[in-house]
C-alpha cells in the first residue's frame, strides 16, 4: 500500500473506532433502536469506503504486477472472489 | 432493549472492536490487501448480525406498542426507511 | 395489495422485462462487458424499488392486521426474515 | 465473451425471464406479499450470478489485454467503478 493511502485508511479507521464507541454509548444509554441502527448503517458505509481505497491500491500494485508477471490466474481469481464476498 | 439482548449486542460489539484493531495492525504491518479486505468483509457481516438483533428487539417492543397504540404511521414509516437504508 | 400499488408494481415489472430484453440483445451483439454489467446493476436497483413498494403495502395491511389480531409472532418473524434475506 | 460463457449467461437469462413471469402471475393472483418478496430476492441472486460470470470473462479477456497493452488506467478504473456500483 502506498504511504498516503495507508495514512488515509488508518485515519478513517480511527474515525470508525470513534463512531463504534458512540454506538456503544447509545446502546448503554438505551437510546431509540432506530437511531442506533442508522448509525450502524453509517459505520458500514464508512468501512466500505475504506475497502474501496484498499482495493484501488491493490489494483494499481499487486494486480498490475501479477498480470505483467506470472501470477495472472491468482490475482484474477482473487478479484472475482473479493467481488463475490463483498456482496454476501 | 431487553437486558439479555443488550448484553449480547455489547459483547458482539467488543468482538468487533477487537477485530478492527486486528485490521489496523494488518494495515500497519503492510499485510496483503486481499487478506485485509476479507477481514473487513467479516467485520461488516458481524455488524449486520448486531443490526438483526437490534431490529428484532425493536419489532417486539416499539413496533408492537406503536401499532397497538397510536403511532402506527411512524413505526411503519421507520421500518420501511430502515429496510431501504440497510441496502444502500 | 391495494389496486394502485399492484398497478404500479406491474408497470414497473413490464419495464424491467423490457430492460432484461435489452441486456439479452447486448450480450448477443457482443457489447462491452462493462456496459452490460452496468445495465444489470440498474435492473437490480429497479427490482429493489418494486420490493420496497410491495413491502410498504405489506406493512400497512397484513402486518397491521396481524399485530392487531393474533398473528403477531408470525408477521414479526417474517419481517425479520425478509430483512435478512434482502441483504444476502 | 467466450462462446460457452455467453451460452451459459443467455440460458440463465431465460430462466430469470421465466422466474419474473412467475412473479407477475403471483402479483396478479394476489398471492401473499412475503412469498412474492422471497421470489424477488431469488431473482436478484440469479442476476448477481450472471454478473459474476460476465465479470469473470471480462477479467480474463479485456482486463488482461488492457493491462498488457496500454489501457491499464481505463480497465482498472472501470473495475473499481463496477465494484462500487455493484453494492449501491
Amino acid at each position: 500500500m502506498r504511504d498516503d493511502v495507508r495514512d488515509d485508511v488508518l485515519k478513517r479507521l480511527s474515525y470508525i473506532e470513534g463512531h463504534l464507541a458512540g454506538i456503544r454509548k447509545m446502546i448503554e444509554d438505551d437510546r431509540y433502536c432506530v437511531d442506533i441502527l442508522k448509525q450502524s448503517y453509517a459505520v458500514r458505509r464508512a468501512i466500505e469506503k475504506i475497502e474501496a481505497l484498499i482495493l484501488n491500491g491493490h489494483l494499481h500494485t499487486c494486480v498490475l504486477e501479477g498480470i505483467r508477471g506470472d501470477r495472472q490466474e491468482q490475482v484474477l481469481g482473487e478479484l472475482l472472489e473479493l467481488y463475490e464476498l463483498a456482496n454476501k
Side-chain angles (χ1 to χ4, degrees), chain A residues 41-86:
Chain A
Y41 298 160
V43 164
R44 280 202 278 126
R45 292 299 88 74
I47 293 176
E48 285 174 11
K49 179 65 190 166
I50 284 184
E51 290 168 4
L53 290 169
I54 295 176
L55 180 64
N56 192 33
H58 178 63
L59 289 171
H60 284 86
T61 54
C62 310
V63 172
L64 275 194
E65 292 158 20
I67 288 178
R68 287 177 175 155
D70 58 358
R71 290 182 307 106
Q72 149 192 339
E73 273 312 310
Q74 185 195 331
V75 297
L76 295 184
E78 284 171 349
L79 276 186
L80 194 67
E81 189 189 2
L82 289 177
Y83 183 88
E84 296 189 307
L85 281 175

Side-chain angles (χ1 to χ4, degrees), chain A residues 10-73:
Chain A
L10 288 174
K11 208 170 98 184
R12 287 169 185 273
L13 205 52
S14 297
Y15 173 79
I16 288 169
E17 288 164 341
H19 207 148
L20 273 183
I23 290 177
R24 169 180 290 282
K25 187 154 174 18
M26 289 178 83
I27 295 169
E28 289 168 346
D29 291 351
D30 212 13
R31 294 276 295 278
Y32 190 42
C33 296
V34 171
D35 295 330
I36 296 172
L37 286 169
K38 288 182 183 176
Q39 293 306 313
S40 181
Y41 298 160
V43 164
R44 280 202 278 126
R45 292 299 88 74
I47 293 176
E48 285 174 11
K49 179 65 190 166
I50 284 184
E51 290 168 4
L53 290 169
I54 295 176
L55 180 64
N56 192 33
H58 178 63
L59 289 171
H60 284 86
T61 54
C62 310
V63 172
L64 275 194
E65 292 158 20
I67 288 178
R68 287 177 175 155
D70 58 358
R71 290 182 307 106
Q72 149 192 339
E73 273 312 310

